[in-house]
Amino acid sequence: MIIASWNVNSISVRLAHVLNWLQDNHPDHLCLQELKCLDEKFPHQAFAELGYKAHVLGEKTYNGVAIISKKSQGESEHPVLLKATSKSLSGFPEPIQSRIMAVEIPLSQDRLLLVDLYVPNGSEVGSEKYAYKLAWFERLNAYIKNELTVYDKVVVVGDFNIAPDDLDVHDPDLWRDQVLCSKLERAVFNDLLGLGMIDSFRSLTAEGKHYSWWDYRQFAFKRNAGLRIDHVLISNALAPSLQRAWIDKNPRTLDKPSDHAPVLVDLAL
DNA sequence: ATGGCACACCTTGTGTGA
């Protein structure tokens, strides 16, 4: 089972890239972030034509997440069950933004919870938005902690807007204590891992210089001046199933790209 | 210290992102 996550920075601008990428990579599930569109403007038909069904939590102008799942052959009912969205989760800091969605995926003998995140950016350390980000992440950790009492197999993906370690940063001195790299952000991220989750990419790749986001400015992609802020976390119970974890830089080389690249795992399920 | 670049929006500037 291939699960992917991609911050597309506007689904309407990036639709052709996403459709082409789906046809080339045919993941079982693709989690999107930063749709920047209302539910009713989401291009459901284009995905249906490729054999995919989308669950969408949109919002005007900002945020927005979707989980796009391959339809099973010969099944009239879409098997993936929507479990939770920002709107249905109580306790997330106000105002409620379209930043989280969870679906239950049936397995032959079991089931898996897949959670798609667009973590707040945080603006700058010490700002109101930074406090909101930390509060949001702490609420996320409480939610995941509870779900881990219900599900053994949990996958949490998305744009975390946190580079977990200096190894995930092209220039650690430039980014020292800046937003995305600060100690408190890394601490809440590590708290999530401490609940029993594994950073799939880092568990299989020890070296640095692998990033998932590059600024549009200053030829950052060409210089590989990036950050690894998009992640696929898997629960401990899934560790024996992890075959591969990787970042697909190819879409970032295209014209009018998202500033993020897709991140993926292959699980033997 | 600033802006670079991209995107959405009742658009000709502003807010947000990372």
Side-chain angles (χ1 to χ4, degrees):
Chain A
M1 175 186 288
I2 292 181
I3 297 175
S5 170
W6 192 3
N7 179 324
V8 293
N9 187 16
S10 168
I11 188 60
S12 60
V13 172
R14 226 66 63 199
L15 183 60
H17 284 197
V18 176
L19 296 175
N20 288 336
W21 189 85
L22 271 182
Q23 288 178 289
D24 290 345
N25 295 273
H26 43 81
D28 297 278
H29 304 277
L30 171 61
C31 298
L32 300 177
Q33 304 89 36
E34 278 211 84
L35 302 177
K36 297 186 173 179
C37 85
L38 291 163
D39 287 7
E40 54 267 35
K41 297 212 170 161
F42 188 86
H44 286 278
Q45 183 60 31
F47 289 99
E49 285 167 9
L50 297 186
Y52 284 86
K53 155 85 178 175
H55 283 105
V56 178
L57 180 65
E59 185 181 326
K60 192 178 182 182
T61 309
Y62 303 118
N63 310 316
V65 291
I67 300 179
I68 295 170
S69 302
K70 198 186 279 180
K71 284 186 262 192
S72 310
Q73 204 110 46
E75 294 214 23
S76 55
E77 278 296 302
H78 185 57
V80 172
L81 176 66
L82 181 64
K83 293 292 287 186
T85 69
S86 301
K87 310 287 185 197
S88 63
L89 288 166
S90 61
F92 271 87
E94 296 290 343
I96 293 174
Q97 302 171 339
S98 298
R99 294 184 177 276
I100 181 169
M101 167 181 288
V103 297
E104 183 181 286
I105 299 169
L107 305 173
S108 55
Q109 303 288 330
D110 202 357
R111 57 193 185 153
L112 179 153
L113 186 74
L114 173 60
V115 183
D116 181 18
L117 306 177
Y118 176 48
V119 177
N121 166 278
S123 188
E124 57 184 296
V125 173
S127 67
E128 230 173 82
K129 288 178 182 173
Y130 179 77
Y132 179 81
K133 177 182 194 172
L134 294 174
W136 192 96
F137 211 106
E138 283 170 4
R139 181 62 187 82
L140 169 71
N141 286 348
Y143 167 69
I144 298 298
K145 182 178 183 180
N146 184 61
E147 291 300 328
L148 284 166
T149 68
V150 180
Y151 296 89
D152 287 333
K153 298 181 173 70
V154 177
V155 179
V156 182
V157 313
D159 177 358
F160 283 71
N161 270 319
I162 296 174
D165 189 272
D166 280 355
L167 203 56
D168 304 309
V169 180
H170 71 96
D171 186 342
D173 289 329
L174 181 68
W175 283 89
R176 181 91 49 222
D177 297 324
Q178 299 297 307
V179 76
L180 316 187
C181 299
S182 72
K183 291 180 185 71
L184 287 176
E185 290 166 273
R186 288 175 172 176
V188 293
F189 182 85
N190 281 319
D191 288 345
L192 176 52
L193 298 184
L195 298 176
M197 304 294 299
I198 295 162
D199 177 347
S200 60
F201 182 85
R202 187 53 74 214
S203 76
L204 297 179
T205 304
E207 81 268 13
K209 301 197 191 314
H210 294 286
Y211 309 122
S212 66
W213 170 83
W214 302 261
D215 201 302
Y216 285 119
R217 298 162 288 190
Q218 300 175 306
F219 305 101
F221 183 67
K222 195 186 286 187
R223 297 187 292 116
N224 197 28
L227 303 176
R228 195 175 69 90
I229 56 176
D230 300 85
H231 307 296
V232 179
L233 310 187
I234 61 171
S235 58
N236 289 334
L238 286 167
S241 306
L242 181 61
Q243 305 298 298
R244 189 178 171 214
W246 71 106
I247 302 167
D248 182 5
K249 290 170 69 167
N250 191 54
R252 189 67 177 77
T253 68
L254 303 175
D255 280 341
K256 304 253 319 160
S258 169
D259 43 355
H260 296 253
V263 297
L264 306 90
V265 290
D266 186 2
L267 299 168
L269 293 173

